Amino acid sequence: MAFRALRVTRQEKNQSIEFVSLEDTDLMEGDVTVAVDYSTINYKDGLALTGSAPIIRVPVLIPGIDFAGTVESSSHAGFEPGDKVVLNGWGVGEAHHGGYAQRARVKGDWLVKLPGNISTKHAAAIGTAGYTAMLSILGLEHEGVTPDKGDILVTGAAGGVGSVAIAVLAKLGYRVIASTGRPSEEGYLKGLGAAEIFDRNELSGPGRPLGKERWAGAVDAVGSHTLANVISQLKYGGAVSACGLAQGLDLPASVAPFILRGVTLVGIDSVNAPYAKRVAAWNRLASDLDLAKLDAMTSVSKLDDLPVLAGDILAGKVRGRVVIDVNA
Ligand code: NDP
């Protein structure tokens, strides 16, 4: 069956994008074939599409690290035609054909069945960014961070991870402080549930080993000096979930907050997170993410828009989440 896809071809360090018509025989191996309804664009997809980081690891690839759709055929015991499913990570969109196509064939072990109240469009709106936000919140809960302990900081607030984190944390009763470089998004961020806006420039430069104790917990999508400063400002016994690198991969931090305040740095990986953790995160998203707020942070684009969106997301110009309607 013919279907439309965005395809990247890599030669040495150069890569090109084309829109192509493919057949099922062009798909890679897998035991479940999915009619894709929606994909999305995450920061990592921006890196992959522009080639600005070596995300794509094969010469010819359909990118897209996420998709949501309907199972069409399956030889996997866990899935049957008609099941609504979501895929996040597992090297899809990196080494295995991904979501920027109307069809996908993958290992059933990589798929999660959608909780009943989450449509394929909402699943794509959540995407890897939102599922990572939930993993980050689960990480804080695991460390005993509760709403009564004090303020929670979310960095990269107006981005995808940040927007979902704010909405979920606010619904759970936390007082959320949103760190952003876009003061113009104050209304948007408060609409998602942020109590206050914090200027990200206060966190982006070299800081002191120990700062004033401000945060009971934090979700950090930014890394580098920002994460170092967040660690230095955690309250005694606080925790920060580190999930991103929007400022940089480095971590110029001190051990002082760890050995003097007993703080915890929680590492968050979405790509190879085990199945049980994924299902737990998706079930919590189903109960703890207000779908009206998800709609408020989501815009819809087409496959053709991806080359422009890729540059925009790396430039920090994308607000919230973008769903890609692959059939539009
Ligand atoms: P977005 O681009 O949507 O959001 C990133 C946000 O970070 C921007 O909106 C901006 O927020 C802020 N930001 C951008 N550049 C800088 C900078 N130089 N200094 C400080 N802040 C900056 O990306 P996503 O939300 O999709 O992803 C966020 C991060 O999380 C990325 O680094 C991504 O790679 C990572 N990630 C990691 C995953 C994992 O498995 N660990 C999974 C998913 C994402 P504002 O304008 O509000 O300041």
Side-chain angles (χ1 to χ4, degrees), residues 42-44 128-129 132 156-162 179-182 200 221-222 226 243-247 268-271 313 316 318 320:
N42 300 277
Y43 192 88
K44 193 179 204 174
T128 287
T132 299
V161 172
S179 168
T180 185
R182 291 184 263 182
R200 83 179 192 199
V222 172
T226 299
C243 68
L245 48 71
Q247 185 181 10
I268 303 297
D269 166 58
S270 65
V271 178
I313 198 162
V318 168

Side-chain angles (χ1 to χ4, degrees), residues 38-159:
Y38 299 98
S39 186
T40 170
I41 183 159
N42 300 277
Y43 192 88
K44 193 179 204 174
D45 294 308
L47 294 173
L49 286 165
T50 57
S52 42
I55 303 293
I56 296 179
R57 292 180 268 126
V58 290
V60 179
L61 187 78
I62 301 169
I65 65 170
D66 291 332
F67 63 76
T70 309
V71 171
E72 217 173 70
S73 60
S74 165
S75 56
H76 186 285
F79 298 94
E80 55 184 44
D83 285 345
K84 302 289 181 193
V85 291
V86 64
L87 185 140
N88 309 109
W90 289 121
V92 169
E94 300 182 53
H96 190 101
H97 286 327
Y100 295 157
Q102 292 171 307
R103 296 170 71 72
R105 191 187 296 128
V106 295
K107 281 189 184 175
D109 290 350
W110 296 342
L111 293 167
V112 170
K113 270 189 209 171
L114 286 179
N117 62 331
I118 305 259
S119 66
T120 52
K121 191 172 183 182
H122 279 139
I126 292 167
T128 287
Y131 143 69
T132 299
M134 195 69 235
L135 290 176
S136 300
I137 293 166
L138 292 174
L140 296 184
E141 289 180 349
H142 186 258
E143 297 308 321
V145 177
T146 47
D148 56 302
K149 298 252 169 87
D151 290 353
I152 304 292
L153 183 72
V154 174
T155 64

